[in-house]
């Protein structure tokens, strides 16, 4: 019988240290528009020194902050930025957090090497998620101007969202100009450093490079990198992956498939609900077009995998089971990886967390998910990690009471939930109560 995730955690990670996570050494998400870096998408990002990075591009990853976190993990202490994982693990029930999934992709030899590596030494990345800029044609409700130029336009044209009192990260109150430090026409030292590092080292050390955004297919740097792969066949063993919202006419996808012929490509896209709910949550999204594009990509037989990332928030739960059923129908036709899915629980902004919902509604959604899982649990195309993610969400809805340790108290979160969605509705010409009938009565009473 194969080893469970919990058994892996106990056998491999916890014997290195009770807080050990390979992502701190071998993985990074780097936003080149802002010069920010982090070990995975959970800990808050921090700034890379723009002067020093030109001389040593490895500083895009090996910052003083990460080295301090590595030292803590080597000593079995918990870096505070990794709170997402600690919160899951503290739920009990032998909970398994993302540090397991983000570590088990590396060899045990590499994890042991990381444990024993002097903290001052730079590490070469094995997996990297990179964003060149924030250009994006969508302005999803749980996104913000740091990641979307369409969100920037909302704030520029309509001003800041007002009367939000719990939003500690100020997601919706300014244009986040620091997220894009350089104009498209200016030289960005972080982008330069990335391409330097790519040419000298990264193309041979990276196992996987994932391009995110903004919307990567709208960035010229993405196409430049694809060209590199095409013009240098066999020079790199790096697997290429692209995140895309797939909010395009088909010709853009034809262009992508044409440009990546002969290159193994994984495509990651996002969605977590159906029809009007999806189009409400992800402003700019067209559910019919997205499904057509999914069909087009799967029928092309050109991708290595097609992955759907679900951001679990308060508003998606009503149609999430229907959405997961849609995933299963595709799997039945195309196989377990076309598509596969992950459920990532939203923590920020905390007023959009599933945990702001009142107990009775939350339990209804939990029960519906449980029914879904009971129905599909033995389905041959449902992968173990997918089954686990659904079960983890069920447990989360059942057990966890606050989105994160610094979250404001519930009246403030409820205030912001209402304030935000009223303003979002009027700016985007939407209607919350029409799209989320199960939440309407509660919402109207806020
Ligand atoms: S948040 Fe979790 S998965 Fe991410 S680096 Fe920290 S321990 Fe690893």
């Amino acid at each position: 019988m194969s080893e469970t995730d919990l058994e892996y955690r106990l056998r491999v990670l916890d014997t290195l240290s009770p807080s050990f996570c390979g992502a701190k050494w071998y993985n990074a998400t780097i936003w080149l528009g802002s010069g920010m870096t982090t070990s995975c998408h959970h800990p808050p990002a921090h700034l890379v020194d723009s002067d020093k990075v030109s001389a040593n591009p490895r500083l895009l990853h090996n910052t003083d902050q990460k080295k301090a976190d590595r030292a803590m993990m080597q000593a079995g202490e918990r870096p505070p930025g990794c709170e997402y994982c600690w919160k899951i693990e503290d739920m009990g029930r032998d909970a398994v957090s993302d540090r397991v999934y983000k570590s088990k992709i590396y060899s045990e030899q590499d994890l042991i090497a990381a444990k024993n590596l002097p903290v001052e030494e730079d590490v070469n990345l094995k997996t990297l998620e990179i964003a060149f800029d924030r250009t994006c044609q969508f302005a999803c409700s749980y996104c913000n101007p740091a990641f979307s130029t369409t969100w920037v336009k909302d704030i520029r044209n309509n001003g800041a969202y007002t009367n939000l009192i719990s939003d500690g990260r100020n997601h919706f109150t300014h244009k986040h100009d620091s997220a894009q430090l350089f104009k498209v026409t200016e030289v960005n030292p972080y982008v330069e450093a990335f391409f330097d590092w790519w040419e000298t080292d990264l193309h041979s050390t990276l196992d996987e490079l994932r391009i995110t955004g903004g919307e990567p297919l709208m960035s010229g740097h993405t196409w430049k990198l694809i060209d590199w792969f095409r013009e240098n066949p066999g020079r790199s063993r790096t697997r290429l992956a692209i995140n895309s919202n797939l909010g395009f006419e088909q010709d853009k996808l034809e262009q992508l498939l044409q440009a990546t012929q002969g290159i193994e490509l994984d495509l990651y896209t996002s969605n977590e609900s159906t029809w009007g709910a999806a189009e409400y949550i992800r402003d700019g999204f067209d559910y019919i077009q997205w499904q057509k594009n999914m069909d087009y990509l799967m029928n092309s037989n050109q991708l290595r995998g097609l992955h759907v990332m679900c951001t679990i928030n308060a508003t998606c739960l009503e149609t999430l089971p229907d959405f997961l059923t849609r995933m299963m129908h595709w799997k039945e036709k195309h196989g377990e990886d076309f598509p596969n899915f992950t459920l990532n629980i939203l923590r920020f902004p905390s007023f959009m967390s599933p945990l702001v919902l009142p107990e009775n509604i939350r339990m209804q959604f939990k029960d519906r998910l449980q029914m879904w899982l009971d129905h599909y649990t033995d389905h041959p195309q449902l992968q173990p990690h997918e089954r686990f993610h659904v079960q983890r969400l069920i447990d989360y809805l059942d057990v966890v009471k606050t989105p994160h340790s610094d979250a404001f108290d519930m009246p403030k979160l409820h205030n912001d939930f209402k304030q935000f969605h009223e303003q979002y509705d009027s700016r985007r010409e939407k209607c919350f109560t029409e799209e989320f009938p199960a939440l309407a009565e509660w919402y109207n009473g806020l």
Side-chain angles (χ1 to χ4, degrees), residues 21 23-24 39-40 42-43 73 81-82 84-86 98-99 102:
C21 173
K24 203 55 91 180
S39 313
C40 77
H42 300 310
M73 285 184 170
C82 296
Y84 181 89
C85 283
W86 317 139
D98 276 5
R99 79 184 171 98
K102 299 223 181 262

Side-chain angles (χ1 to χ4, degrees), residues 7-8 11 31 73 84 93 105 124 148 196 225 238 248 250 261 272 321 333 355 372 381-382 394 437 443:
E7 285 164 352
Y8 173 87
R11 183 180 64 81
W31 293 273
M73 285 184 170
Y84 181 89
R93 297 189 188 184
I105 55 174
N124 266 331
S148 158
D196 281 353
L225 202 56
T238 306
F248 297 103
Q250 200 171 296
Q261 266 182 16
E272 54 281 318
K333 191 167 169 201
L355 302 180
W372 187 92
Q381 307 291 359
L382 185 71
I394 291 166
Y443 178 80

